[in-house]
Amino acid sequence: MNQRILLAAVLAAPVIAGCASLPADNGRDRVMTLVRERGLDVSQSGAAGAAPALLAELNGKPLGANDVVRLALINNPKLKAEYARLGFAAADVYDAGRLSNPVFSAAVLYPDVSGAVSQVTLGLVQSFTDVLLLRSRGKFARGEFERVQQSVGAATVNLAADAEAAYFRLVGALQLRALRVAIVTAAQASADLAQRFFDAGNVSRLELALEQAAVAQARLEAMGADAEVTGARTALNHLMGFAADEQDWQVTAELPAAPEAPSSDAALPDLLARAKTSRLDLAAARARSDLTAKAFGVTQRTRLLGELDVGVETERGTDGSRITGPTLALALPIFNAGKGRAARAEAQWRNAESELQALEIEISNAVRRAHADVGAARGRAEHYRQTLIPLREAIVARTQEDVNYMLRGQFELLVAKQQEYAAYHGYIEAVRDYWLARVQLAREVGGPLPASGAVVSAPLALPLPGVPDGGVPIPATNDPAPPPGGHEHGDKP
């Protein structure tokens, strides 16, 4: 009896030691901490009804960049699927901390002699290989759980960057569309004037056709701008997790102004250093490389270890007596010495190492490129604001004075005005590109950029009267009457 108790204790001890519980909240709080450290507001993420509550909180006000990011983090179904991955990794941690169930066996042997008693054999077997590898398996599962948390955090940061970029694309598209509408108005005014001049015999049919073609071209570009708005709005709607019929929201009408000086941008060496510590996908890649390296070491050490089962077996004899004793089953490494497992583990380790190195190179070059894009876009916006736009505005003003003194024609004024619009168009594109580049740079760095909150408050201000269609301020288009007697364009049709 003492032998039976001893054997039962030997089998029960590792089972009791192997008990484990599921990680608290599947590691969600840890992910929240990681993304909060990178400047994201995830306080309502995952809460039921959080998106409608946030929309009600905004109360129909135009959404800003921070608002659309919060909605995306709360409501995007793909991000919810990413968080569901935590459950798989948490389950793996639970399973890795527990032994496999023992196997109970029973056999009944019927004698072929009349009157003889049947033999009954009972057995209980537990894999001792599980006991030996329990600690290593638990370490790997916990390491993989941490890696998945970092990976989900990286997906969260990327979604926030996607939503912010989509916001800037939409606001820029709205402003460009409004400007395109103004260009159509200006082109139409020029064509109408040409028609009146043509009717008065002061311009040729070719000149009239050129003006009408300009109107047609402007309308085509306005149609393209409409399509850009629709595409940008749909993309943002998708990222915020709304269906096509759930578009009861508006965004702010103007892009923030780009900073005037490059001092607001962080130095490239600082950004490269921050990327090495802030990028969650890089941390996840490092964790994978470390885990596969350790797994390779364990596999190397245990490659000759096959299935080792220990147990206890009891048998009742024909005379009614019972015999009990331990059992042992060991897989002998005769035909398979585990070289394949070791080679596979080594390949996984080298693959993880190579992918980590490739990601480090990719990140460093991406940070450098995004930093250069930020500087280039800011420089273009500054050149438009400080040089080209003032020159175009001065040209329009001087041309208007010449027209008033009948030194220039009305068409020259309208051409000057259209060129002024083209400068505004380029300026809006440059400012939009600046903010898109900043979003991309923050994505590549893995967190918010220094002083990013100090340069986003001032709206993009163009010195233009009127704000039709909720877009950038649009200049009123003059539609001057032809001069008496027809002093313009003396060619006859």
Side-chain angles (χ1 to χ4, degrees), residues 22-82:
L22 284 169
D25 73 1
N26 289 345
R28 190 183 185 90
D29 282 348
R30 173 59 179 160
V31 177
M32 298 295 182
T33 300
L34 289 174
V35 296
R36 266 194 293 266
E37 289 172 352
R38 284 150 183 84
L40 296 181
D41 180 7
V42 290
S43 57
Q44 294 177 292
S45 182
L54 181 55
L55 285 173
E57 174 189 330
L58 297 171
N59 194 25
K61 298 176 183 177
L63 302 179
N66 291 335
D67 300 324
V68 301
V69 169
R70 290 173 63 194
L71 281 167
L73 296 182
I74 289 171
N75 205 45
N76 185 278
K78 288 187 177 180
L79 185 61
K80 294 177 183 178
E82 286 289 330

Side-chain angles (χ1 to χ4, degrees), residues 202-213:
N202 294 321
V203 298
S204 68
R205 188 175 299 276
L206 174 59
E207 291 172 308
L208 175 62
L210 289 172
E211 296 296 334
Q212 291 173 338

